[in-house]
Amino acid sequence: MDIQSKLNILAAAARYDVSCSSSGSERKNNNGLGNAHVSGICHSWSSDGRCISLLKILMTNMCSYDCAYCINRRSSSNDRAIFTPDEIVNLTINFYKRNYIEGLFLSSAVYKNPDFTMELMLQCVVKLRMANFNGYIHLKAIPGADKKLIDKAGLYVDRMSVNIELPSRESLKLLAPQKSAEAIFKPMDYLNNRIIEIKEDKKTYKKPPLFLPAGQTTQLIIGATNDHDLGILRLSEGLYNRYSLKRVYYSAYIPVSDNPNLPALLNPPLKREHRLYQADWLLRFYGFKAGELLDEKNPDFDIDLDPKSFWALKHMELFPVEINSVDYTLLLRIPGIGVRSALKIRAARRVGSLSYDDLKKFGVVLKRAKHFITCQGKYYGTSFTDLPIIRQFLLPSEKTQAPKNKFEQLSIYNMMQDNSSAVTGEL
């Protein structure tokens, strides 16, 4: 199989991993300069906010596992391919020299066994660094691989992730019985301990070795099982607290199999995925706990409301609050007030009392916030005691909602399907 055919297959197979956003261009080389690739290039963001493009591929999609939800499962009839480490090194360096990419995102199916796969991936990143490639590398750690291999890989790459995929032991047993929770969490725990160890070494040694300077992440699949949002958020909260993950990514399940244990979905649950990302943001930056946002009586979010509004409507006994005196913790929890707005309000009210018009200048979304605040003692909402009316005001306006039955959800994967063979990199 030629290198371009492999690239078509293994770049397309990598698109289901959402640790970085996929994007592409259909621009072709018409005897001019440069090329853009339909698949294989994704964008990620560095810690200082720069957008960087990555070559996103699998080492192989030949998998010894047969996970029901996975497009690369052993029983799937997809075309199969495998790169050698040298082929990936040459691809990465050639693409980098052409200014197509600034780094590599390398994942893999489990080929033969976890140790064999991890060793191939390790060879690849070692060869890249030996070739003086200093670009960003994000590597998937293979659950079940020897920790010595994972440890060595951590010395050569910037970020590593161990995908949990299914959010509970029950769902893992149902859809991926060859995997175990212990095999997934063990490398996460090891990587976290090594990162802490290297940080401690920095206090003693001038130049301790770099070990995953961009930290570790994971991915959860949403909608492939009956797991509730509450369980998913609790898992994410535990991962942030216990393993200091940089991010938990949520991936709406894309129907790729007719396995009877999978739900019969027509489209991926993208809106639910979006709500979980919003809730994740509340966990990380707004001081919420998973148990505050949801409980056993309400284990799932209202899909029409953002999670903060959903929480506020359940806790109307805390509102309305006076914007000039409310403490910062509760200020952050008012719908329509973000972290930047809250910081501006806290700083400004030290100088003087804030008026309703002042809040507009601070970027507060008053059409939501006015139902939960008073300003200089005055309430600007419509009806504080009528929750259905407040909820109606918190819903997206009709202008921002697509008319029902007129449009259908677009899918980037459907759009790319017919063009997946148009990768035009000169190798």
Side-chain angles (χ1 to χ4, degrees), residues 244-275:
S244 304
L245 293 194
K246 290 292 183 181
R247 286 291 302 273
V248 175
Y249 291 90
Y250 305 94
S251 174
Y253 168 64
I254 299 170
V256 295
S257 168
D258 56 0
N259 187 296
N261 292 326
L262 289 166
L265 299 177
L266 293 177
N267 293 303
L270 296 177
K271 203 165 183 179
R272 186 183 176 198
E273 175 193 284
H274 177 59
R275 295 302 181 212

Coordinates of all heavy atoms in Angstrom, one line a residue, residues 244-275:
S244 N -5.3 15.8 38.2 CA -4.9 17.1 37.7 C -4.9 17.2 36.2 O -4.0 17.7 35.5 CB -3.5 17.5 38.2 OG -3.4 17.4 39.6
L245 N -5.9 16.6 35.5 CA -6.0 16.6 34.1 C -6.1 18.1 33.6 O -6.7 18.9 34.2 CB -7.2 15.8 33.6 CG -7.2 14.3 33.8 CD1 -8.3 13.7 33.0 CD2 -5.9 13.7 33.5
K246 N -5.5 18.3 32.4 CA -5.7 19.6 31.8 C -7.1 19.8 31.2 O -7.7 20.8 31.3 CB -4.6 19.8 30.6 CG -3.2 19.9 31.1 CD -3.0 21.2 31.9 CE -1.6 21.4 32.3 NZ -1.3 22.7 33.0
R247 N -7.6 18.7 30.6 CA -8.9 18.8 30.0 C -9.6 17.4 30.0 O -8.9 16.4 29.9 CB -8.9 19.3 28.5 CG -8.6 20.7 28.3 CD -9.8 21.6 28.8 NE -11.0 21.3 28.1 CZ -11.4 21.8 27.0 NH1 -10.6 22.7 26.4 NH2 -12.6 21.5 26.4
V248 N -10.9 17.4 30.1 CA -11.7 16.2 29.8 C -12.5 16.6 28.5 O -13.2 17.6 28.5 CB -12.6 15.8 30.9 CG1 -13.5 14.6 30.5 CG2 -11.8 15.4 32.2
Y249 N -12.3 15.8 27.5 CA -13.0 16.1 26.2 C -14.2 15.2 26.2 O -14.2 14.0 26.6 CB -12.1 15.8 25.0 CG -11.0 16.9 24.9 CD1 -9.8 16.6 25.5 CD2 -11.2 18.0 24.2 CE1 -8.8 17.6 25.4 CE2 -10.2 19.0 24.1 CZ -9.0 18.8 24.7 OH -8.0 19.7 24.6
Y250 N -15.3 15.7 25.7 CA -16.6 15.0 25.5 C -16.9 14.8 24.0 O -16.8 15.8 23.3 CB -17.7 15.7 26.2 CG -17.4 16.1 27.6 CD1 -16.9 17.3 28.0 CD2 -17.7 15.1 28.6 CE1 -16.6 17.6 29.3 CE2 -17.4 15.4 30.0 CZ -16.8 16.7 30.3 OH -16.5 16.9 31.6
S251 N -17.1 13.6 23.6 CA -17.4 13.3 22.2 C -18.7 12.6 22.0 O -19.0 11.5 22.6 CB -16.3 12.3 21.7 OG -16.5 11.9 20.4
A252 N -19.6 13.3 21.4 CA -20.9 12.8 21.1 C -20.8 11.5 20.3 O -20.1 11.5 19.3 CB -21.8 13.8 20.3
Y253 N -21.5 10.5 20.7 CA -21.3 9.2 20.0 C -21.9 9.3 18.6 O -23.0 9.7 18.3 CB -22.1 8.1 20.8 CG -22.3 6.8 20.0 CD1 -21.2 6.1 19.7 CD2 -23.6 6.4 19.6 CE1 -21.3 4.9 18.9 CE2 -23.7 5.2 18.9 CZ -22.6 4.5 18.5 OH -22.7 3.3 17.8
I254 N -21.0 8.9 17.7 CA -21.4 8.8 16.2 C -21.8 7.4 15.9 O -21.0 6.5 16.0 CB -20.2 9.3 15.4 CG1 -19.8 10.7 15.7 CG2 -20.6 9.2 13.9 CD1 -18.5 11.2 15.1
P255 N -23.0 7.2 15.5 CA -23.4 5.8 15.2 C -22.6 5.2 14.1 O -22.6 5.6 12.9 CB -24.9 6.0 14.7 CG -25.3 7.3 15.2 CD -24.1 8.1 15.2
V256 N -21.8 4.2 14.4 CA -21.0 3.5 13.5 C -21.2 2.0 13.5 O -20.5 1.2 12.8 CB -19.5 3.8 13.8 CG1 -19.1 5.2 13.6 CG2 -19.1 3.3 15.2
S257 N -22.2 1.5 14.3 CA -22.4 0.1 14.4 C -23.9 -0.2 14.7 O -24.6 0.6 15.3 CB -21.5 -0.4 15.6 OG -21.9 -1.7 15.9
D258 N -24.3 -1.4 14.3 CA -25.7 -1.8 14.6 C -25.8 -2.8 15.7 O -26.7 -3.6 15.8 CB -26.4 -2.3 13.3 CG -25.6 -3.5 12.7 OD1 -24.5 -3.8 13.3 OD2 -26.0 -4.0 11.7
N259 N -24.7 -2.7 16.6 CA -24.7 -3.6 17.7 C -26.0 -3.4 18.6 O -26.3 -2.2 18.9 CB -23.4 -3.3 18.5 CG -23.2 -4.3 19.7 OD1 -24.0 -4.4 20.6 ND2 -22.2 -5.1 19.6
P260 N -26.7 -4.5 19.0 CA -27.9 -4.3 19.8 C -27.7 -3.6 21.1 O -28.7 -3.1 21.7 CB -28.4 -5.7 19.9 CG -27.2 -6.6 19.7 CD -26.3 -5.9 18.7
N261 N -26.5 -3.6 21.6 CA -26.2 -2.9 22.9 C -26.1 -1.4 22.7 O -25.9 -0.7 23.7 CB -25.0 -3.5 23.6 CG -25.2 -4.9 24.0 OD1 -26.3 -5.2 24.4 ND2 -24.2 -5.7 23.9
L262 N -26.1 -0.9 21.5 CA -25.9 0.5 21.3 C -27.3 1.2 21.0 O -28.2 0.5 20.4 CB -25.0 0.8 20.1 CG -23.5 0.4 20.3 CD1 -22.7 0.4 19.0 CD2 -22.9 1.5 21.2
P263 N -27.4 2.5 21.3 CA -28.7 3.2 21.0 C -28.9 3.4 19.5 O -27.9 3.5 18.8 CB -28.6 4.5 21.8 CG -27.1 4.7 21.8 CD -26.5 3.4 22.0
A264 N -30.1 3.4 19.1 CA -30.4 3.7 17.7 C -30.5 5.2 17.5 O -31.6 5.8 17.6 CB -31.7 3.0 17.3
L265 N -29.4 5.8 17.2 CA -29.4 7.3 17.1 C -29.3 7.6 15.6 O -28.6 6.9 14.8 CB -28.2 7.9 17.8 CG -28.1 7.7 19.3 CD1 -26.7 8.3 19.7 CD2 -29.2 8.4 20.0
L266 N -30.0 8.7 15.2 CA -29.9 9.1 13.8 C -28.8 10.1 13.7 O -28.1 10.1 12.7 CB -31.2 9.8 13.4 CG -32.5 8.9 13.3 CD1 -33.7 9.7 12.9 CD2 -32.2 7.8 12.2
N267 N -28.6 10.9 14.7 CA -27.5 11.9 14.7 C -26.8 11.9 16.1 O -27.4 11.5 17.1 CB -28.1 13.3 14.5 CG -28.6 13.5 13.1 OD1 -27.9 13.2 12.1 ND2 -29.9 13.8 13.0
P268 N -25.5 12.3 16.1 CA -24.8 12.4 17.4 C -25.5 13.4 18.3 O -26.0 14.4 17.8 CB -23.4 12.9 17.0 CG -23.3 12.6 15.5 CD -24.7 12.7 15.0
P269 N -25.5 13.1 19.6 CA -26.1 14.1 20.6 C -25.2 15.3 20.8 O -24.7 15.5 21.9 CB -26.3 13.2 21.8 CG -25.2 12.2 21.7 CD -25.0 11.9 20.3
L270 N -25.1 16.1 19.8 CA -24.2 17.3 19.9 C -24.6 18.3 20.9 O -23.8 18.9 21.5 CB -24.1 17.9 18.5 CG -23.5 17.0 17.4 CD1 -23.5 17.7 16.1 CD2 -22.0 16.6 17.8
K271 N -25.9 18.5 21.1 CA -26.4 19.5 22.0 C -26.0 19.1 23.5 O -25.6 19.9 24.3 CB -27.9 19.8 21.9 CG -28.3 21.1 22.4 CD -29.7 21.5 21.9 CE -30.1 22.8 22.3 NZ -31.5 23.2 21.9
R272 N -26.2 17.8 23.7 CA -25.9 17.3 25.1 C -24.4 17.4 25.3 O -23.9 17.8 26.4 CB -26.3 15.8 25.2 CG -26.1 15.2 26.5 CD -26.4 13.8 26.6 NE -26.2 13.2 27.9 CZ -26.0 11.9 28.2 NH1 -26.2 11.0 27.2 NH2 -25.8 11.5 29.4
E273 N -23.6 17.1 24.3 CA -22.1 17.3 24.3 C -21.8 18.7 24.7 O -21.0 19.0 25.6 CB -21.5 16.9 23.0 CG -20.0 17.2 22.9 CD -19.5 17.1 21.5 OE1 -19.4 16.0 21.0 OE2 -19.3 18.1 20.9
H274 N -22.5 19.7 24.0 CA -22.3 21.1 24.3 C -22.6 21.5 25.7 O -21.8 22.2 26.4 CB -23.1 21.9 23.3 CG -23.0 23.4 23.5 ND1 -21.8 24.1 23.4 CD2 -24.0 24.3 23.8 CE1 -22.0 25.4 23.7 NE2 -23.3 25.5 23.9
R275 N -23.7 21.0 26.3 CA -24.1 21.2 27.7 C -23.0 20.7 28.6 O -22.7 21.3 29.7 CB -25.4 20.6 28.0 CG -26.6 21.3 27.2 CD -26.7 22.7 27.4 NE -27.9 23.3 26.7 CZ -27.9 24.6 26.2 NH1 -26.8 25.3 26.4 NH2 -28.9 25.0 25.6

